[in-house]
């Protein structure tokens, strides 16, 4: 049978906090960690500048292609013949500017009905 002293002893051991492992001795690394950080930083900078240059060239190429395609589209639209009566009809019926009416007619190859439908949608 347990005595009162034994019970107190068990309670003390149960309520004690978590044990801390002993500290490990630290070794001297001769600045290797610092050198590694510096080289990592330099490598990241090189990668970022390389990626930036690549991205800028891709963006520049895309813009030049888009601009070239836009110029070609404008040339094609300029070739489309439209009637003066159709242009005036769209201007008065839709109450839009001459440039907007002409653009719509040219985009729809001079077809008044399609141009009006596109402007109403």
């Amino acid at each position: 049978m347990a005595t009162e002293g034994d019970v107190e002893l068990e309670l003390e051991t149960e309520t004690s906090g978590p044990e801390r492992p002993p500290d490990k001795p630290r070794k001297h690394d001769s600045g290797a960690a610092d050198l590694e950080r510096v080289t990592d930083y330099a490598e990241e900078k090189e990668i970022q500048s390389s990626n930036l240059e690549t991205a800028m060239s891709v963006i520049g190429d895309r813009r030049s292609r888009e601009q070239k395609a836009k110029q070609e589209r404008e040339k094609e639209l300029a070739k489309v013949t439209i009637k003066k009566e159709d242009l005036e009809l769209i201007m008065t019926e839709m109450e839009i500017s001459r440039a907007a009416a002409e653009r719509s007619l040219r985009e729809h190859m001079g077809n008044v009905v399609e141009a009006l439908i596109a402007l109403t949608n």
Side-chain angles (χ1 to χ4, degrees):
M1 189 158 157
T3 62
E4 290 181 20
D6 292 337
V7 174
E8 288 178 15
L9 186 60
E10 288 177 13
L11 289 176
E12 286 178 12
T13 57
E14 289 177 9
T15 58
S16 65
E19 292 184 23
R20 226 175 139 168
D23 290 338
K24 294 182 182 178
R26 296 183 180 180
K27 295 180 183 177
H28 184 63
D29 62 0
S30 309
D34 292 336
L35 182 60
E36 187 174 329
R37 275 190 238 123
V38 169
T39 55
D40 287 347
Y41 177 76
E43 289 171 355
E44 287 177 16
K45 283 294 190 182
E46 288 177 13
I47 291 170
Q48 288 175 353
S49 66
S50 167
N51 288 345
L52 180 63
E53 290 170 3
T54 304
M56 292 301 288
S57 68
V58 168
I59 290 171
D61 291 345
R62 182 179 294 159
R63 283 186 180 168
S64 65
R65 281 183 289 175
E66 288 174 355
Q67 189 174 12
K68 188 175 179 180
K70 186 177 179 181
Q71 288 173 348
E72 289 176 9
R73 174 76 174 147
E74 292 298 323
K75 286 180 184 178
E76 289 176 19
L77 291 178
K79 292 178 184 177
V80 175
T81 57
I82 55 174
K83 297 178 183 174
K84 187 175 181 179
E85 304 86 38
D86 296 341
L87 181 65
E88 290 175 4
L89 173 71
I90 291 178
M91 286 173 48
T92 56
E93 290 299 319
M94 299 303 295
E95 296 178 357
I96 57 174
S97 67
R98 179 177 211 83
E102 186 174 340
R103 176 77 180 190
S104 179
L105 269 173
R106 289 189 187 278
E107 286 177 350
H108 295 93
M109 303 300 174
N111 188 330
V112 180
V113 176
E114 289 180 12
L116 285 169
I117 291 171
L119 287 169
T120 56
N121 290 337

